[in-house]
C-alpha cells in the first residue's frame, strides 16, 4: 500500500472512488440504451437458457422492482446516498473502501438519473431494468453495483479494515502498548515514589 513517506498515512483515494463511480454510471447507461434500442417492453432473450434472460422492464419502484408506488421517496433516498458518499469519500484512504463506496455511489447515481430524466416526469421516472435470473426480480447494472458495494462494505468491516486505511487490530495493539507503557511508568518500586516516602 502506498503511503505518505513523511507521516506513514495512506493517500486519499477520492479520485479512485470518483473514477469507479463514473465507470459504473457509464456502463449502466450504455447497457440501458442498448436494451432500449434492442428490445420492446416484455420481450425476452435467453442468455443461458431460461436461467438468465434479458428482458425490458420499466421499474418505478426501488431496486429489484420493490415499492413501485413510492418513486419520489426512492429518488430522494438515492440523492441523499450519492451526496453522503461524495462527502464521506473525502476521508477515505483505503483502496478497497474507495472501490466499495464508488460502486455504491455509481449504482445509486445510475438509477437516480433514470428517475430524473426518464418519463413520466422528473423524480418520478421509470428505471430501466433488463437482467432476469430465474425467478429473481429483474435488475440492472446499477442495482448490481449497489449490492456488490454493500457486500464489500460488510466484508471490510468484518475484516477490520477501516476507511482511513488502518486495521482495527493495529489500533487495539497500539492502545494496549500505550496502556502497558503508562502502567510501567507508575509501577510499584518506582524510584520517584520511593524517594517521596523517605
Amino acid at each position: 500500500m502506498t503511503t505518505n513517506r513523511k507521516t506513514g498515512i495512506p493517500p486519499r483515494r477520492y479520485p479512485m472512488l470518483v473514477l469507479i463511480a463514473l465507470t459504473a454510471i457509464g456502463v449502466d447507461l450504455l447497457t440501458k440504451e442498448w436494451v432500449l434500442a434492442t428490445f420492446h417492453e416484455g420481450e425476452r432473450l435467453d442468455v443461458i437458457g431460461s436461467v438468465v434472460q434479458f428482458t425490458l422492464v420499466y421499474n418505478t419502484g426501488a431496486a429489484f422492482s420493490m415499492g413501485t408506488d413510492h418513486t419520489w421517496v426512492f429518488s430522494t433516498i438515492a440523492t441523499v446516498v450519492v451526496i453522503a458518499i461524495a462527502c464521506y469519500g473525502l476521508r477515505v484512504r483505503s483502496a478497497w473502501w474507495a472501490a466499495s463506496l464508488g460502486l455504491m455511489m455509481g449504482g445509486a447515481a445510475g438509477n437516480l438519473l433514470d428517475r430524473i430524466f426518464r418519463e413520466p416526469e422528473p423524480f418520478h421516472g421509470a428505471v430501466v431494468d433488463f437482467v432476469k435470473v430465474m425467478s429473481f426480480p429483474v435488475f440492472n447494472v446499477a442495482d448490481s453495483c449497489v449490492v456488490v458495494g454493500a457486500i464489500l462494505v460488510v466484508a471490510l468491516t468484518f475484516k477490520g479494515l477501516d476507511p482511513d486505511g488502518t486495521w482495527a487490530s493495529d489500533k487495539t495493539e497500539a492502545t494496549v502498548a500505550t496502556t502497558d507503557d503508562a502502567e510501567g511508568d507508575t509501577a510499584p518500586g518506582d524510584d520517584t515514589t520511593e524517594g517521596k516516602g523517605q
Side-chain angles (χ1 to χ4, degrees), residues 81-93:
V81 168
V82 171
I83 294 175
I85 294 177
C87 294
Y88 183 77
L90 293 169
R91 302 164 52 186
V92 173
R93 295 180 182 275

Side-chain angles (χ1 to χ4, degrees), residues 45-100:
L45 171 66
D46 291 341
V47 179
I48 304 178
S50 59
V51 177
V52 179
Q53 300 175 319
F54 286 161
T55 180
L56 175 58
V57 174
Y58 293 102
N59 172 23
T60 57
F64 310 115
S65 302
M66 295 183 292
T68 56
D69 296 327
H70 301 85
T71 306
W72 69 271
V73 175
F74 301 118
S75 299
T76 303
I77 292 174
T79 302
V80 172
V81 168
V82 171
I83 294 175
I85 294 177
C87 294
Y88 183 77
L90 293 169
R91 302 164 52 186
V92 173
R93 295 180 182 275
S94 162
W96 280 105
W97 273 92
S100 305

Side-chain angles (χ1 to χ4, degrees), residues 183-197:
E183 290 178 350
D185 292 339
T186 59
D190 183 90
D191 292 340
T192 304
T193 303
E194 291 179 354
K196 290 182 180 180

Side-chain angles (χ1 to χ4, degrees), residues 63-194:
F64 310 115
S65 302
M66 295 183 292
T68 56
D69 296 327
H70 301 85
T71 306
W72 69 271
V73 175
F74 301 118
S75 299
T76 303
I77 292 174
T79 302
V80 172
V81 168
V82 171
I83 294 175
I85 294 177
C87 294
Y88 183 77
L90 293 169
R91 302 164 52 186
V92 173
R93 295 180 182 275
S94 162
W96 280 105
W97 273 92
S100 305
L101 295 178
L103 286 172
M104 294 179 67
M105 180 179 178
N111 283 338
L112 179 60
L113 290 175
D114 277 6
R115 299 185 192 285
I116 293 176
F117 295 108
R118 297 193 189 277
E119 297 180 350
E121 59 182 315
F123 280 89
H124 290 79
V127 173
V128 176
D129 288 335
F130 64 94
V131 182
K132 181 174 177 58
V133 179
M134 296 185 289
S135 58
F136 204 69
V138 183
F139 59 97
N140 57 37
V141 172
D143 295 331
S144 300
C145 289
V146 171
V147 172
V148 172
I151 291 174
L152 284 174
V153 166
V154 173
L156 293 173
T157 301
F158 273 102
K159 289 287 288 184
L161 179 60
D162 293 334
D164 62 3
T166 61
W167 293 89
S169 58
D170 292 340
K171 292 180 180 179
T172 301
E173 291 174 1
T175 301
V176 171
T178 301
T179 302
D180 289 343
D181 290 342
E183 290 178 350
D185 292 339
T186 59
D190 183 90
D191 292 340
T192 304
T193 303
E194 291 179 354

